[in-house]
Amino acid sequence: GAVVSQHPSWVICKSGTSVKIECRSLDFQATTMFWYRQFPKQSLMLMATSNEGSKATYEQGVEKDKFLINHASLTLSTLTVTSAHPEDSSFYICSARGGLAGVDEQYFGPGTRLTVT
Amino acid sequence: LAKTTQPISMDSYEGQEVNITCSHNNIATNDYITWYQQFPSQGPRFIIQGYKTKVTNEVASLFIPADRKSSTLSLPRVSLSDTAVYYCLARGAGANNLFFGTGTRLTVIP
């Protein structure tokens, strides 16, 4: 139980285009999902907190107009990187809060490798 | 959220027990201590969580002294597949945000 998936697992796009990444909780409902970014050999950095049916809360320094987050259902959150540039190339990881009864924990997706050329 | 400090890296031979210590001097009364494991190009995986004393599951043990200012993750008889980065986090129950520190890069040597 408590499985989180991401799609795609990797994507290559050209500079200036937009890319959408999906995060799904497969066997539980997640009222809250989180998006992280991780550069090579660095730790995870929280980008935003996504709540179902409401606007996302962004961490300081993260451009909300560039990283659009939608959490339309209890099992799906999407991150759209708009007008991507090479510096946006990174490993994007989502997590979902919830899962097993009585366990308040975050479960992470496998990540999406974005390369902008 | 308490700041955590861990060694940047550790090496160990296969079959040995590995202990990774995390310092969290400013841990709050309602903070739990959670450890995650991350392999390259994968999302973190929950290993173990505890509040005080000792917690054991099928993969690890977590030791937390009475003052809770530190914790130690113990991995028994490591194998090559345990090579990964291990993160220690201290956060309040129900808190949304997880802030990852630098983690400890464990390398298991044959």
Side-chain angles (χ1 to χ4, degrees):
Chain A
V3 178
V4 176
S5 71
Q6 283 184 240
H7 178 79
S9 56
W10 59 270
V11 57
I12 301 173
C13 70
K14 292 187 176 181
S15 187
T17 62
S18 295
V19 174
K20 180 185 285 188
I21 303 170
E22 293 184 350
C23 175
R24 294 181 185 271
S25 55
L26 298 185
D27 50 5
F28 66 100
Q29 293 184 333
T31 55
T32 306
M33 290 184 172
F34 306 86
W35 288 95
Y36 295 82
R37 180 167 53 182
Q38 186 176 34
F39 293 106
K41 297 202 180 296
Q42 293 188 23
S43 187
L44 284 79
M45 292 182 58
L46 179 66
M47 299 176 66
T49 301
S50 167
N51 293 297
E52 186 264 338
S54 64
K55 291 183 178 180
T57 303
Y58 291 81
E59 294 300 309
Q60 190 172 6
V62 178
E63 300 175 59
K64 61 180 181 181
D65 294 331
K66 180 171 182 63
F67 299 98
L68 302 179
I69 293 173
N70 183 274
H71 193 158
S73 77
L74 289 173
T75 60
L76 173 65
S77 176
T78 60
L79 168 68
T80 301
V81 183
T82 63
S83 187
H85 291 285
E87 57 265 31
D88 298 323
S89 297
S90 188
F91 192 51
Y92 291 86
I93 307 169
C94 74
S95 71
R97 181 179 173 187
L100 305 177
V103 176
D104 178 19
E105 200 41 73
Q106 287 191 24
Y107 299 92
F108 289 82
T112 297
R113 174 79 55 195
L114 170 63
T115 302
V116 184
T117 61
Chain B
L1 296 170
K3 180 183 177 183
T4 59
T5 304
Q6 305 173 233
I8 296 296
S9 64
M10 292 180 69
D11 292 339
S12 176
Y13 287 102
E14 267 191 299
Q16 289 190 329
E17 177 185 75
V18 171
N19 295 309
I20 306 174
T21 297
C22 177
S23 172
H24 28 80
N25 289 317
N26 296 321
I27 192 167
T29 303
N30 64 341
D31 283 350
Y32 282 77
I33 298 149
T34 309
W35 285 80
Y36 287 87
Q37 175 192 57
Q38 186 182 27
F39 297 113
S41 296
Q42 293 187 28
R45 182 176 75 103
F46 172 86
I47 301 176
I48 198 166
Q49 183 182 74
Y51 184 80
K52 60 180 179 180
T53 62
K54 177 183 175 181
V55 179
T56 297
N57 62 21
E58 62 275 11
V59 298
S61 294
L62 178 59
F63 299 91
I64 306 168
D67 66 4
R68 303 199 329 119
K69 293 183 183 299
S70 66
S71 60
T72 299
L73 175 72
S74 181
L75 305 172
R77 297 182 297 283
V78 294
S79 63
L80 297 177
S81 62
D82 293 317
T83 294
V85 178
Y86 293 82
Y87 294 97
C88 160
L89 291 85
R91 69 174 181 108
N96 267 341
N97 298 346
L98 290 185
F99 287 96
F100 287 78
T102 57
T104 298
R105 186 174 299 275
L106 171 67
T107 303
V108 180
I109 307 166

